Amino acid sequence: MGYILEMCNITKTFPGVKALDNVNFKVASGEIHALVGENGAGKSTLMNVLSGVYPHGTYRGKIIFENKECVFRNIKDSENTGIAIIHQELALEPYMTIGENIFLCNERSKMGFINWNETHRMAAELLERVGLKENTHSLIKDISVGKQQLVEIAKALAKKAKLLILDEPTAVLNETESENLLNLMLQLKKDGITLILISHKLNEVLKVADSITILRDGATIETMKKDDTVTEDRIIKGMVGRQLVNRYPKRTPKIGEVCFEVRNWNVDDPLVEGRRIIKNVNLKLHKGEIVGLAGLMGSGRTELAMSIFGKSYGKNISGQIFKDGKEIKIQNVRQAIDNGLAYVTEDRKTAGLVLIQDIKNNIGHANLTRLVKRWIIDENKEINVAEEFQKKLNIKASSVFQKTGELSGGNQQKVVLSKWIFTEPDILILDEPTRGIDVGAKYEIYCIINQLADEGKSILVISSEMPEILGICDRIYIMNEGRIVGEQYRDEASQESIMKCIMQSNRGEYGGDGKSKNVQ
Amino acid sequence: METVKVRMSNKTTYITGSVKTVLKNNIRQYAMLIALFTAMFVFQIATEGVFLKPMNVTNLILQNSYVLILAIGMTLCILTGGNIDLSVGSVCAFIGGLLGTLIINMKVGVWPAILIALLAGVVIGMWQGFWIAYVRIPAFIVTLSGMLIFRGLTNTLLEGLTLAPFPKSFGMLSSGYIPDFFNGKNINITALLVGIIASAIYVFLEIQKRSERKKYGMYTIPLPLFIAQLVFVVAAINVFFFYLAIYKGIPIILAIIAVLLIGYSILTMKTVPGRYIYAMGGNEKAAKLSGINTNKVLFLTYVNMSVLAAIAGIVFTARSDAASPVAGVNFELDAIAACFVGGASAYGGVGTVIGAVIGALFMGVLNNGMFILGVGSDWQMTIKGLVLLTAVAFDVVSKNRAKA
């Protein structure tokens, strides 16, 4: 069997980070090829290179599709060649009908006039092919996510796609919908379409895939044919098996009593009525302890953190928060800060910094009243504070007057950390503190985290990089689908044990009451 | 900051660099001021000296006083995130109508009436601020509705008629001058003195700022250029006050504007609420997560805008000595244009009060100069429109170039 797609020696770098390093990826025609790897392993980057999101010239390497070398300048180019990608976040127009969406940018028209009868007739045919019983005149916003997914596939088929890429297609689907989707994939394979499946759900991968390629740290680890010897454990080992050589600074934890506790925390989706995002979460942080919150993307970690931090996310929030044994009420961010909480966002560019302002302004933002002398901001004090942080956290910048938008990711993160340390918090929630940061700067950030813990602060680290969680945390909560599904201490935790915990909860192997049997 | 980046890389060229490179590197900072003075110079020649006659200089300030006041408030609105207030013209008219009804029809005293007008400004601001900040209806729509509502209410209040005249004491607000405490003959010594004091304060502040910047290792313009700047600005200030002095002295309105300008400059640059406004406009999400109550910031900004619109309404009514249902038409557009010409960003987070005032003066100079030259109002509008576009395009293009 020949290859429909060959990606040879693909290397893609972002400022400071090598996202893909000489990746080779070959897909045989007519197969379902699964692409697996941890968050940040480079799966999405690879697919973005393939689909033209990163145009030719911004990466090194060759893409060969149907034996022809391809030069994609944009998504349109790759679509015209026959490659269609369905992203995790669906790209449909909510206020247009199914029919309009399927033929968006691909209109059935004659001399500039759209033939609506033809559009809806063909749309109905495509819907039948993907097994969706729905009127083509229904609006997208009125149908379920599972059905929207099918519309996306129909849309790809309308463009005569030969290679269909599905990025985490079942992440938002329920059991039956997932089942249907997997069957549809097998059906499409029979029709001669080649599929690439990106998924964290290894049971699904094993069910449909013919070949499996594992990516790790931006490199291809291996490609295997699926046969009986391939098991979930085997794949997990490939996904996580890396050597840890002193990437994490040593620290002897001095753990005190419980400082912060969340009980029976429930949060609903602010946009979808009745959809519960956080389900009955309980967690405890001790003084001087670094606690990890592990889980896959979409498991609800950020939502949990933000809902605790002054109800910055979600609605119908219920539950109790205790600090030093006393219940506290937190209604907004100001109160959260005043109660000694700090939240370092996962997205420093859009939610952590005012990029058009300089370092000193940004550091002051969360605690300006500390800089005020008789109504006026004491600029000398502000500069002194900022310079102190610049020295202490080793922020590399020409001066504290440099705009934060000009700094590298690691230095931006240090500015955000400075901002929160300046509020003198007792509890720090760090959401993906080292995302998009190079190895050297990561080490420095870990040192800062350790030092904060040694000062007696409680720290909750959310991270999708499991080695990082294992490297710096004393205790780890494992979260999946809005629940805490496990809790492990440092010495008993491993990447395999965490992955297993998540996979088990995916299969519904936790107690039906929302509590895992792993929870002590 | 783009400028600093450029400068850092050009550090060596600086020392040996020619005047041309120095000018090139500093052009953005001074572009608006240079444009203002160039326009004044051109008009001075074109009008054969009429433009800078003492009487006309005073007129220029009085004519544009309300736009200057509105532009100050509008800057704050724009800073919060590119929000504008389209209702200010109608609010000016409404306040005029209110004053007319109170003072002329109901014989209320001037000062109580002014107080009521200011309170009305607060209430109007709270009304619009509520919808904008707490219900989160786009400011554009809320104030467009306000533009209609308050124009309508003005007509209701005045029954479509113009009320005039106001008592003399009210008119003094806009036509009055600060009396000369030294009884100078032919020349107002107070005005001269204020000019000298103002330039002394300016020199002091600039030298202080320069030494601070040096202390922190920040970029400072070369010394000769710095001295040239000081000499130029001091000369401009003193010439300006000299002109005021040989006419009638310092108009009361100028004093009001000066107080507002200084007050709001301090508010925006040096206080916590000011920081909140810039932080919100720069990145509302980050501001919120830093504990800034962005709803409150937005609300208060719009309350403030309406109060300033009330002040502008009072000044305008006093100046025209009548309450007219068609007063204040297009004021909002003049104020918005002034802010953008003065360097405010349409996305928020960038801009200064002083910039908006310079922008307003620039537009005022164009108006006045073209009027003296006898350019028709049709062409005046076209030219003003082109100036607005050019100023913003200059900003956008130079920013893009700095990025590339």
Side-chain angles (χ1 to χ4, degrees), chain B residues 120-382:
Chain B
V122 174
V123 173
I124 292 169
M126 286 167 70
W127 162 258
Q128 301 200 114
F130 166 75
W131 294 108
I132 295 166
Y134 292 103
V135 187
R136 288 279 169 164
I137 298 174
F140 177 79
I141 292 165
V142 173
T143 58
L144 180 61
S145 121
M147 185 176 174
L148 298 169
I149 292 172
F150 297 109
R151 183 64 61 188
L153 288 178
T154 311
N155 273 299
T156 311
L157 209 56
L158 294 173
E159 293 166 336
L161 302 170
T162 299
L163 282 180
F166 281 87
K168 269 238 160 63
S169 57
F170 182 65
M172 279 304 287
L173 257 183
S174 71
S175 55
Y177 294 84
I178 292 178
D180 187 1
F181 303 108
F182 303 94
N183 293 320
K185 276 182 199 165
N186 303 328
I187 192 156
N188 186 309
I189 298 172
T190 307
L192 285 182
L193 213 61
V194 169
I196 291 166
I197 293 170
S199 39
I201 293 174
Y202 171 78
V203 170
F204 172 74
L205 287 178
E206 280 295 310
I207 291 176
Q208 199 188 29
K209 201 165 99 189
R210 187 179 163 85
S211 72
E212 294 239 318
R213 287 175 75 96
K214 270 227 164 103
K215 189 172 118 199
Y216 291 114
M218 287 170 75
Y219 166 76
T220 48
I221 55 171
L223 190 65
L225 198 69
F226 178 69
I227 292 171
Q229 178 198 329
L230 287 186
V231 169
F232 183 74
V233 175
V234 166
I237 291 175
N238 283 295
V239 167
F240 174 68
F241 276 95
F242 175 73
Y243 276 22
L244 293 179
I246 54 177
Y247 189 54
K248 289 179 181 170
I250 300 171
I252 290 174
I253 288 187
L254 182 67
I256 295 176
I257 291 171
V259 168
L260 289 176
L261 175 59
I262 293 169
Y264 278 94
S265 289
I266 292 173
L267 176 83
T268 48
M269 310 301 281
K270 302 258 177 202
T271 70
V272 174
R275 276 300 164 78
Y276 283 0
I277 292 174
Y278 277 98
M280 178 183 175
N283 186 346
E284 185 172 356
K285 237 171 149 183
K288 254 190 190 160
L289 281 178
S290 299
I292 297 171
N293 187 341
T294 50
N295 290 353
K296 198 168 139 194
V297 171
L298 197 55
F299 177 76
L300 291 177
T301 307
Y302 273 89
V303 172
N304 174 67
M305 177 75 254
S306 290
V307 172
L308 284 176
I311 295 176
I314 295 167
V315 167
F316 183 75
T317 311
R319 185 170 152 73
S320 53
D321 199 22
S324 153
V326 292
V329 172
N330 284 353
F331 281 13
E332 61 281 341
L333 301 183
D334 284 337
I336 293 166
C339 293
F340 289 130
V341 168
S345 156
Y347 304 104
V350 176
T352 56
V353 170
I354 185 80
V357 166
I358 292 173
L361 281 177
F362 182 65
M363 298 299 255
V365 163
L366 285 185
N367 263 344
N368 184 280
M370 288 191 287
F371 177 77
I372 298 171
L373 285 176
V375 178
S377 64
D378 46 349
W379 278 107
Q380 287 188 29
M381 274 208 171
T382 311

Side-chain angles (χ1 to χ4, degrees), chain A residues 359-374:
Chain A
I359 294 173
K360 75 173 171 56
N361 275 15
N362 271 288
I363 289 178
H365 274 153
N367 198 9
L368 275 173
T369 42
R370 225 176 118 187
L371 296 170
V372 170
K373 210 164 69 185
R374 272 178 277 127

